[in-house]
Amino acid sequence: MTQEKSMSALTGERRRDAERTRADLLDVATDEFAERGYSGARVDEIAARTRTTKRMIYYYFGGKEQLYLAVLERAYAEIRAAERTVDVDHLEPVAALRRLAEVTFDHHEAHPAFIKLVGAENAQHAKHMNQVARLVDLNSSAVDLLHNVLERGRREGTFRNGVDALDVHMLISSFCFFRVANRHTFGALFDRDLLAPDRREHYRTMLGDLITGYLTI
């Protein structure tokens, strides 16, 4: 191996190490911020759990607030990426809409930390989220995706007119968010676990029926 190739391989390995370290830090930071909120989370704890140093965290992210913003950005990027895996153009509008709703259902159930982060941000009036300009563009893709499906359904005579894509996004999100965020209080009041495995498909189907029923003629 030539010296040039050797240096290139070394640079590539260092880059991969840096990417792994950054991803590990974001994983642990997500749990820490979700459990303790922004104010209660400790950078020292994140460093200890990742077997690194506070100085290294600052090297990668610049500080606690920047780390938190990176956590928020990645959390939303993950669900938007999941939505993009649905090949809506090759599904009938009703099937496409149902599938998009199911993606949100599955994601929220599998990522309770995301629910806690969003809840904490709402409690703080989106104080930090407003600082991440990319989140607006990132999340507009979800509405654009729904808009395209709705428009196709209207043209085909499947969906009724006058329905806003953002309203549909809100309906899907509210059902999925409530099911995870309110699991314990709902269970205490009504003795029903919203995340019970034996009722999972019931709620998943219920969501699809609600959304498509609202839209279909």
Side-chain angles (χ1 to χ4, degrees):
M1 180 181 294
T2 65
Q3 183 176 2
E4 182 178 344
K5 288 184 178 179
S6 179
M7 290 297 293
S8 177
L10 182 60
T11 300
E13 183 59 33
R14 286 173 176 169
R15 186 181 299 111
R16 288 189 290 274
D17 286 344
E19 290 171 354
R20 283 193 293 266
T21 299
R22 194 175 190 278
D24 288 344
L25 287 170
L26 284 172
D27 287 343
V28 174
T30 295
D31 290 340
E32 180 72 8
F33 285 122
E35 289 300 321
R36 304 179 186 278
Y38 177 76
S39 298
R42 295 289 177 264
V43 176
D44 288 333
E45 178 64 19
I46 296 169
R49 289 175 59 188
T50 52
R51 297 183 179 179
T52 185
T53 63
K54 190 173 181 179
R55 182 178 179 182
M56 184 63 73
I57 293 175
Y58 286 174
Y59 170 78
Y60 279 105
F61 297 98
K64 179 182 178 180
E65 185 173 34
Q66 292 91 331
L67 174 59
Y68 180 66
L69 297 179
V71 164
L72 286 177
E73 184 173 337
R74 190 182 72 158
Y76 276 96
E78 287 175 342
I79 187 170
R80 302 290 83 93
E83 291 164 347
R84 289 194 297 272
T85 64
V86 181
D87 188 7
V88 294
D89 294 335
H90 292 85
L91 291 173
E92 293 297 323
V94 171
L97 190 62
R98 183 180 288 274
R99 183 70 193 105
L100 288 171
E102 290 171 349
V103 166
T104 300
F105 183 96
D106 295 343
H107 179 275
H108 283 21
E109 179 182 78
H111 297 83
F114 172 75
I115 304 300
K116 292 178 181 179
L117 287 169
V118 175
E121 270 301 289
N122 273 292
Q124 295 295 316
H125 308 287
K127 173 183 175 182
H128 296 94
M129 192 176 290
N130 283 329
Q131 300 179 47
V132 188
R134 183 170 176 261
L135 283 181
V136 175
D137 293 333
L138 188 65
N139 287 281
S140 66
S141 67
V143 181
D144 291 341
L145 198 61
L146 284 170
H147 175 78
N148 293 336
V149 173
L150 294 178
E151 282 298 309
R152 186 154 55 89
R154 290 187 191 109
R155 289 195 302 269
E156 295 177 9
T158 304
F159 294 154
R160 61 189 177 87
N161 295 319
V163 178
D164 180 49
L166 188 57
D167 286 345
V168 177
H169 176 69
M170 179 188 67
L171 287 173
I172 295 171
S173 297
S174 60
F175 185 100
C176 299
F177 191 93
F178 182 96
R179 178 171 169 263
V180 180
N182 292 52
R183 174 189 186 182
H184 299 294
T185 53
F186 196 89
L189 292 172
F190 302 108
D191 192 29
R192 176 172 292 181
D193 184 358
L194 295 176
L195 266 64
D198 62 342
R199 295 190 67 82
R200 183 179 191 276
E201 286 307 311
H202 165 75
Y203 288 129
R204 199 169 185 262
T205 301
M206 180 180 173
L207 170 63
D209 290 346
L210 285 170
I211 299 302
T212 56
Y214 172 66
L215 286 162
T216 50
I217 295 173

